[in-house]
Structures are given as structure tokens and as C-alpha cells.
Amino acid sequence: MGILYQPNLTFFIFFTILIRVVVCQRALFVFGDSLVDVGNNNFLNSVAKSNYFPYGIDFNMQPTGRFSNGKTFVDIIGEMMGLPYPSAFADPSTRGAKLLEGVNYASAAAGILDESGQHYGERYSLNQQVVNFETTLDQLRAMMGGDNLTSFLAKSVAVLVFGSNDYINNYLMPSIYSSSFNYNPVQFGNLLLNRYASQLLTLYNLGLRRMFIAGIGPLGCIPNQRAGQATTGRCVDSVNNVLGTFNEGLKSLVDELNKRQGAVVAYGNTYGAVGDILNNPATHVLHIIMKKKMAGFNVVDRGCCGIGRNQGQITCLPFENPCTNRNQYVFWDAFHPTEAVNAILARRAIYGPPLHAYPFNIQQMTLLN
């Protein structure tokens, strides 16, 4: 007589309970570029990587692929929501039950347009990140079934941070890309909006309902752009001026998305929030997540780590010695903010008024049915 196979009943009950708990909660799904990449580019054939010290100097002294001295904007949002850090999609360990904690698809140098940032090598563009999300959904559907997945996605929050590379690593690089010859700033902004809208609708149709879409910050004020200017200390107005069509259009796009059944979509006014920090650096008092207190920023026009004018001509190199007073710097390197600024932006996204999180913030978003 053969041995009768008996499944592990304890494991089955545990797994069933796990699924029931998870679908009653929510996860964080992240799409974007280096501002929110947590290590996807570590697994790609790309020049755009930050998997070396001093990146991560304030993240347990450990470089992870985050383009900051510490936590990213979405890391802090997740902490404030009581959610774990979503794992990088490209990490082979991001599978199984780990997917229930959310996934980060962001990739340094990625843009809304497939060609943006291509001179850095491989990256997950917006289009590819949506395809990667569909791969995750196939795995989740196999784990929890269609109805549970629908409920899980509807309660989860997606954060999207795109657009910077379409300007810095496309439109503003006429020696490599032809976009500035083919489109004026208004036309280019509308091109980005149309492509973005198409994929946002795809994410909605795939089941995501709560989305926080960050606008582009004042790129003319980052050390990389300031470094090429003759006037020291000034932002590059000509760069900032080309962003208006995209940012204003993104706000209007949010209004259109919210007309769809069950959609709860918000626009993050990154330009206004960073502009406020740059214009009033000394007035910002911040309690960082670790309960450390700081009062104001002292350095707004150069990177904490980098080489050349404004520490922005060459970004932070391996084992370079960064500044020691990092909480007093707005910019960590040639392109990216410090953890201190990320903490302010996260608080604006979670709790901010309509000026910074329109038409509602993430806290309000999670409370809406």
C-alpha cells in the first residue's frame, strides 16, 4: 500500500491567514528614476549606479543603490505609512511573499520617453516599468487569486516620479538628442504628458487606484546646471522656465484621472516645495525620522559630494570624502537632494495642503473609499 501524501496543514492555515491579512492592508508600489531608485540599476548594465561609498553613508553606512546619503523620498513615505521598504524589482530575491510588501521599479536615468538617458546604458523606462509591474501582477495573481488581488491593488498606493531625465538627459542635451530641435518647450511638455497619460491609464486598468504623481523640481537650481553658468549662486532660469507646461499639465491630468471610477490620484508640487526650501533655507526646522532635530539649511547651491564648480561638474565618486554637515545641505550630489530634503518632501506628500499635494495628500488618499 502506497504512502498517502498529507499536505502540511499548519503551513496551509498560516498561508491562508497571511493572504487574508495582506489583502486587508496595502502595499507601496514605486515607479520612477534615480530620485527613488533603491538598487534596480545595480542589476543592469548601466553607468548610472550608486552602489559604492559614500552613497548610503547615513543609511547604516551601506551603499544600496540609492542616490542619496540616506533614505529616499519614498523610503520615508513608506515609514510614515507603517510600510516596509519595497524591494527592487531587478533583485532576484524579490519574489514570493516579498511581493506582498510592494515593489520598487524605479531606475536611474529612466524617463517617460524610452530614449531619455540612453547614453548611460540600460535602464527601465516608464514603458518597461509598466511591463515589469505586469510581471509582478502575474505572480501575485497566482498567489492570491483575482478577487483578492483586485482588493489589494485598490487599497495600495503607487508613487510615480518621472520627467527629470526627459529634460536633463534628453531635451537639455542637444549634442546627443534632437528633441530640442524638433519641439519647442510647450510641444515637448505636451509630448511627455501624452505619453505619461497613456501609461497612467494602463496602471489604472491594471488595478491601481491610489496614485501620487510627483512633478519635476526646479532643475535649473541643481548643482549640475548651476555649474555651467557664469553667474555664481544663481539658478538657471532658462532651464526652470521650460518645465512649466509639464508641471501644470500634470496637475490637470490628475483632475482628469480622478473622474474615473474609484480613482484617487494626487499631484505632488515638487517644484514649489523645493523652491520654498531654496528661497527660505534658514526657516526650515525638521524632525527627521530618527528623531534628530535640525534647524535650517546653510548650503543651497552646491553638492555635499562631487567635483568641480558647485561640486556639480562630476558627481560623487567612489570613496570621495563628502561634507560632514550633511543635514545643512539641500543637495547631496550634482543631481539629488539630501535625506534631510527628502524628509521634508515626504512630509509634504503625506500631510501637505493642496498647495503641495493636490487635491489631497497621501494621508487623505488612504482614508478615502
Side-chain angles (χ1 to χ4, degrees):
M1 183 176 180
I3 298 174
L4 179 64
Y5 171 72
Q6 293 183 340
N8 188 322
L9 185 60
T10 302
F11 174 80
F12 177 79
I13 294 173
F14 170 77
F15 189 75
T16 302
I17 293 173
L18 173 64
I19 293 297
R20 287 177 178 172
V21 170
V22 168
V23 297
C24 291
Q25 297 179 347
R26 57 175 56 91
L28 192 60
F29 293 95
V30 181
F31 305 82
D33 53 31
S34 59
L35 292 169
V36 288
D37 187 352
V38 295
N40 278 301
N41 276 34
N42 292 352
F43 301 92
L44 301 179
N45 184 17
S46 171
V47 177
K49 293 184 180 181
S50 59
N51 56 346
Y52 55 84
F53 194 82
Y55 285 97
I57 189 172
D58 297 311
F59 196 94
N60 299 322
M61 291 287 288
Q62 180 181 355
T64 60
R66 289 167 168 82
F67 287 76
S68 180
N69 59 303
K71 299 169 187 173
T72 70
F73 164 69
V74 290
D75 287 331
I76 300 170
I77 284 178
E79 286 184 344
M80 296 173 75
M81 293 177 66
L83 299 175
Y85 300 149
S87 300
F89 170 83
D91 188 331
S93 69
T94 304
R95 60 182 184 271
K98 209 168 186 180
L99 301 177
L100 300 171
E101 298 178 347
V103 180
N104 186 310
Y105 305 90
S107 176
I112 295 170
L113 303 179
D114 286 337
E115 62 268 25
S116 295
Q118 64 185 0
H119 58 287
Y120 283 107
E122 290 182 341
R123 67 248 173 266
Y124 293 144
S125 66
L126 168 62
N127 288 337
Q128 186 60 52
Q129 289 182 40
V130 173
V131 171
N132 293 344
F133 176 64
E134 292 182 87
T135 300
T136 299
L137 293 187
D138 289 340
Q139 298 174 59
L140 287 172
R141 192 174 292 108
M143 292 169 59
M144 65 172 65
D147 290 342
N148 285 337
L149 177 59
T150 298
S151 176
F152 176 63
L153 292 176
K155 293 174 182 176
S156 294
V157 174
V159 177
L160 298 100
V161 182
F162 282 102
S164 294
N165 286 306
D166 295 292
Y167 286 95
I168 296 175
N169 291 308
N170 187 332
Y171 195 72
L172 298 173
M173 296 187 75
S175 62
I176 299 178
Y177 299 92
S178 62
S179 55
S180 62
F181 301 110
N182 298 329
Y183 306 97
N184 64 38
V186 173
Q187 292 170 333
F188 188 70
N190 286 328
L191 172 67
L192 296 181
L193 289 166
N194 288 334
R195 299 284 180 86
Y196 208 176
S198 175
Q199 291 295 20
L200 288 168
L201 286 174
T202 298
L203 292 175
Y204 171 87
N205 290 331
L206 289 171
L208 290 174
R209 294 293 179 267
R210 302 168 199 264
M211 305 182 207
F212 184 88
I213 307 171
I216 302 176
L219 299 180
C221 300
I222 65 176
N224 169 263
Q225 294 297 306
R226 291 181 191 250
Q229 297 302 298
T231 305
T232 304
R234 281 190 56 82
C235 295
V236 186
D237 293 335
S238 60
V239 171
N240 286 337
N241 289 340
V242 303
L243 307 176
T245 297
F246 179 80
N247 280 334
E248 288 301 315
L250 202 56
K251 189 175 179 182
S252 299
L253 178 56
V254 163
D255 286 332
E256 290 301 312
L257 289 170
N258 279 324
K259 294 177 182 178
R260 294 182 172 267
Q261 184 176 1
V264 186
V265 186
Y267 164 71
N269 182 10
T270 311
Y271 192 100
V274 175
D276 181 42
I277 294 171
L278 294 173
N279 291 327
N280 306 286
T283 64
H284 285 274
V285 177
L286 171 69
H287 291 272
I288 301 181
I289 299 299
M290 297 81 71
K291 305 298 182 183
K292 293 188 293 186
K293 184 178 180 181
M294 57 161 282
F297 295 97
N298 294 328
V299 186
V300 302
D301 61 349
R302 62 184 185 273
C304 170
C305 188
I307 295 175
R309 192 173 187 180
N310 296 90
Q311 281 71 53
Q313 289 177 295
I314 300 177
T315 197
C316 193
L317 296 177
F319 299 101
E320 181 183 342
N321 290 321
C323 65
T324 57
N325 54 335
R326 293 180 284 277
N327 283 342
Q328 295 176 23
Y329 275 66
V330 171
F331 297 102
W332 159 247
D333 62 11
F335 301 96
H336 307 96
T338 57
E339 180 187 56
V341 169
N342 283 333
I344 292 175
L345 297 179
R347 289 188 65 85
R348 295 279 175 87
I350 293 277
Y351 304 120
L355 176 64
H356 295 295
Y358 169 87
F360 30 68
N361 56 45
I362 292 177
Q363 183 184 56
Q364 294 167 334
M365 179 189 301
T366 58
L367 295 174
L368 293 172
N369 294 324

